């Protein structure tokens, strides 16, 4: 061995050697994670379908388990899925009937609301010139007329989007039927293909991942339903139109932690401003603060503390990074994904330390 090489190695700081060792490992891990996300992006429809199937499985598994005590498993799965479909169609029918019933009065209220907003904008503190909103409306009309071809092509591309949505829904239903009917057998078959010495860690990781995912999914549904009920009751008491559709919007928006509920309530505030005036809109804005505090300090600690042990900063960063990477879908998937990864890492680390039983 060259003595000069040994001297050069000894001259390198131990801190630098440690940083270099961690650095190249982090580069390899980052490249692997990037490759996984690229692969998922290539097959984003399949990824979305499998994710929806897992969500549906996590929600229906207790119901299917209860029904299977009195009927065959396949019949329990069929009854559970049919009841879920009827519930979904019932909610959609309720929204449609609510919108149709309030449409005539809503048009009158919005007409008067736009006039009130225009008068308010002309007063202090903004002092906008009269007719500003009319100019904006004329500009929008001219823009739509000059870009009519783009609008038509966008509408036609919406047909392709509809086909994609139907494909995702069909694949998600098919996968959920398989998961609900024979998910345990599928997992045992997968474990049987692994080397003997690797089965226990994989089994522990899979069990931890599924427990965390089901806990998060059921917890977020409880949180979203509670938020939707509170918002619906508050909007109904305030006399804001479209209370039921806005409550349903709040339910689905709550699946994006920290961000979804304020956005949905902001839409409700705009409706309240146009229909009922600035005082009711201010009350709805106050409702945003109250719902946020209730969700962050009461519902999440009580309902989801066992499933998700993430700091709010980690949750916020996960939502933002997921939204930047994959839009709304990424914002929805980010928090459960980070929760599952962290729970699996913690379980495997505890198992290696001997504080958890293997398998």
């Amino acid at each position: 061995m060259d003595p000069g090489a040994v001297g050069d190695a000894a001259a390198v700081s131990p801190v630098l050697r440690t940083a270099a060792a961690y650095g190249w490992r982090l580069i390899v891990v980052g490249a692997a994670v990037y490759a996984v996300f690229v692969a998922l992006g290539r097959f984003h429809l399949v990824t979305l379908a499998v994710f929806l199937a897992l969500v549906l499985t996590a929600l229906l598994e207790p119901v299917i388990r209860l029904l299977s005590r009195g009927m065959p498993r396949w019949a329990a799965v069929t009854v559970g899925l049919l009841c879920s479909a009827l519930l979904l169609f019932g909610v959609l029918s309720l929204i449609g009937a609510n919108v149709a019933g309030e449409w005539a009065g809503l048009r009158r209220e919005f007409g008067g609301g736009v006039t009130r907003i225009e008068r308010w904008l002309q007063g202090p503190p903004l002092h906008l010139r009269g007719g500003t909103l009319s100019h904006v409306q004329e500009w929008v009309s001219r823009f739509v007329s000059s870009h009519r071809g783009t609008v038509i092509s966008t509408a036609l591309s919406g047909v392709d989007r509809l086909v994609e949505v139907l494909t995702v829904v069909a694949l998600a239903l098919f996968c959920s039927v398989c998961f609900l009917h024979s998910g345990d057998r599928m997992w045992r078959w997968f474990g049987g293909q692994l080397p003997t010495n690797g089965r226990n860690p994989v089994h522990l990781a899979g069990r931890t991942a599924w427990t965390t995912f089901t806990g998060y999914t059921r917890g977020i549904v409880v949180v979203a339903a509670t938020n939707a009920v509170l918002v619906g009751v508050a909007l109904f008491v305030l006399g804001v139109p479209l209370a039921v559709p806005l409550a349903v919007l709040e339910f689905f928006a709550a699946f994006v932690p920290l961000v979804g509920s304020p956005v949905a309530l902001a839409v409700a505030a705009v409706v309240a401003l146009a229909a009922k005036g600035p005082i009711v809109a201010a009350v709805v804005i106050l409702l945003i603060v109250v719902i946020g505090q209730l969700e962050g300090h009461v519902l999440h600690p009580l309902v989801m503390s066992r499933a998700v042990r993430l700091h709010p900063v980690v949750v916020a960063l996960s939502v933002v990074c997921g939204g930047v990477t994959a839009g709304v879908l990424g914002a929805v998937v980010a928090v459960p994904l980070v929760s599952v990864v962290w729970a699996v890492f913690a379980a495997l680390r505890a198992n290696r330390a001997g504080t958890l039983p293997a398998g």
Side-chain angles (χ1 to χ4, degrees):
M1 181 179 294
D2 185 5
V6 176
D8 293 339
V12 178
S13 170
V15 176
L16 183 58
R17 287 203 300 269
T18 303
Y22 277 105
W24 72 260
R25 288 178 173 86
L26 289 175
I27 291 174
V28 172
V29 172
V33 171
Y34 178 77
V36 169
F37 275 97
V38 169
L40 293 177
R42 293 281 185 176
F43 303 97
H44 63 281
L45 294 180
V46 177
T47 304
L48 176 59
V50 174
F51 175 76
L52 293 178
L54 291 175
V55 170
L56 191 59
T57 303
L59 295 178
L60 293 182
E61 186 183 28
V63 179
I64 302 302
R65 189 186 307 117
L66 180 63
L67 291 175
S68 61
R69 295 178 181 177
M71 62 181 68
R73 184 76 178 183
W74 63 268
V77 173
T78 303
V79 171
L81 289 175
L82 286 178
C83 291
S84 302
L86 290 176
L87 178 62
L88 178 61
F89 286 129
V91 171
L92 294 178
S93 300
L94 178 62
I95 294 175
N98 183 264
V99 173
E102 297 184 7
W103 184 250
L106 187 64
R107 290 177 59 186
R108 292 193 300 270
E109 290 181 350
F110 264 77
V114 171
T115 303
R116 289 195 300 269
I117 293 173
E118 189 172 12
R119 287 200 300 264
W120 177 71
L121 291 175
Q122 293 175 8
L126 298 178
H127 296 290
L128 295 180
R129 292 182 302 173
T132 301
L133 291 182
S134 300
H135 294 324
V136 173
Q137 293 174 357
E138 293 176 1
W139 180 84
V140 171
S141 300
R142 290 196 303 269
F143 180 83
V144 172
S145 300
S146 60
H147 295 79
R148 187 174 303 171
T150 304
V151 173
I152 294 175
S153 63
T154 303
L156 293 177
S157 66
V159 177
D160 297 334
R161 293 294 183 183
L162 178 61
V163 173
E164 291 181 356
V165 169
L166 294 178
T167 303
V168 169
V169 170
L171 183 57
L173 287 176
F174 176 76
C175 292
S176 63
V177 169
C178 296
F179 295 157
L180 289 169
H181 182 263
S182 56
D184 293 338
R185 293 200 301 270
M186 295 168 63
W187 178 251
R188 286 196 298 269
W189 174 87
F190 174 76
Q193 311 306 309
L194 300 174
T196 304
N197 58 353
R199 292 178 184 177
N200 285 337
V202 172
H203 177 68
L204 175 62
R207 184 180 61 188
T208 303
W210 181 243
T211 301
T212 303
F213 183 79
T214 53
Y216 176 86
T217 302
R218 295 165 188 170
I220 198 67
V221 168
V222 172
V223 172
T226 304
N227 288 355
V229 171
L230 293 176
V231 169
V233 171
L235 295 179
F236 178 79
V237 171
L238 293 172
V240 177
L242 301 179
V244 174
L246 290 173
V248 174
L249 176 63
E250 165 65 23
F251 174 80
F252 287 106
F255 283 85
V256 182
L258 302 179
V259 178
S261 293
V263 171
L265 288 175
V267 175
V270 173
V271 175
L273 178 63
K276 295 296 181 180
I279 296 178
V280 177
V283 175
V284 175
I285 293 174
L286 179 63
L287 186 65
I288 296 177
V289 179
V290 174
I291 293 293
Q293 294 298 316
L294 180 65
E295 180 180 346
H297 294 88
V298 178
L299 294 178
H300 275 280
L302 289 178
V303 176
M304 303 184 65
S305 60
R306 295 183 60 186
V308 181
R309 296 181 176 89
L310 298 178
H311 193 276
V313 174
V314 178
V315 174
L317 291 176
S318 301
V319 171
V320 172
C321 293
V324 171
T325 303
V328 177
L329 176 62
V332 173
V333 175
V335 176
L337 178 62
V338 173
S339 302
V340 167
V341 171
W342 176 251
V344 170
F345 171 75
L348 293 177
R349 182 179 58 183
N351 183 58
R352 287 196 300 269
T355 58
L356 279 179

